Amino acid sequence: MSAPAKASGALRSVDYEVFGRVQVFHYFPNQYTEQEAKKLGVVGWVKNTSQGTVTGQVQGPEEKVNEMKSWLSKVGSPSSRIDKTSFSNEKEISKLDFSDFNTRY
């Protein structure tokens, strides 16, 4: 992914936390987040928290990271209700720290 990623612009990394009714089932909505990330071609991870939120990190070309941020803020998985999405530690990176997007437990 490194050659196409660099060709399409600067690489970005951002941490996120999604608040609302976002944990309906044990693996939900992480499978949808994982599918969307893979569709967009970004890497990172997603995890349910004990506080009922979903947290994670996304890395990739700036425009793809922005698309993922929009999806996390406005779309989410089916049956979820997103009240708020918080983004932090957004920065430009020289290389990706992950080779894929996956769910952490």
Side-chain angles (χ1 to χ4, degrees), residues 1-12 60-65 92-96:
M1 177 183 216
S2 57
K6 288 193 188 310
S8 56
L11 293 175
R12 303 289 296 170
E62 185 172 12
E63 68 276 6
K64 297 298 183 185
V65 168
E92 186 169 325
I93 55 174
S94 59
K95 66 179 183 58
L96 300 172

Side-chain angles (χ1 to χ4, degrees), residues 13-94:
S13 177
V14 66
D15 298 336
Y16 63 88
E17 187 166 13
V18 184
F19 300 82
R21 190 169 62 94
V22 293
Q23 289 186 22
V24 182
F25 303 111
H26 180 63
Y27 297 110
F28 184 89
N30 297 343
Q31 69 184 30
Y32 295 100
T33 304
E34 203 171 308
Q35 286 172 1
E36 185 67 17
K38 288 178 180 182
K39 183 178 93 174
L40 291 173
V42 294
V43 298
W45 56 273
V46 61
K47 179 181 178 179
N48 289 337
T49 71
S50 57
Q51 293 79 33
T53 64
V54 172
T55 189
Q57 187 176 70
V58 176
Q59 295 184 347
E62 185 172 12
E63 68 276 6
K64 297 298 183 185
V65 168
N66 287 338
E67 287 180 51
M68 190 67 187
K69 285 170 63 177
S70 178
W71 186 87
L72 288 164
S73 299
K74 299 174 185 160
V75 181
S77 56
S79 303
S80 66
R81 186 197 73 240
I82 300 167
D83 292 339
K84 176 178 84 165
T85 305
S86 170
F87 297 101
S88 60
N89 301 320
E90 186 161 359
K91 61 190 176 211
E92 186 169 325
I93 55 174
S94 59

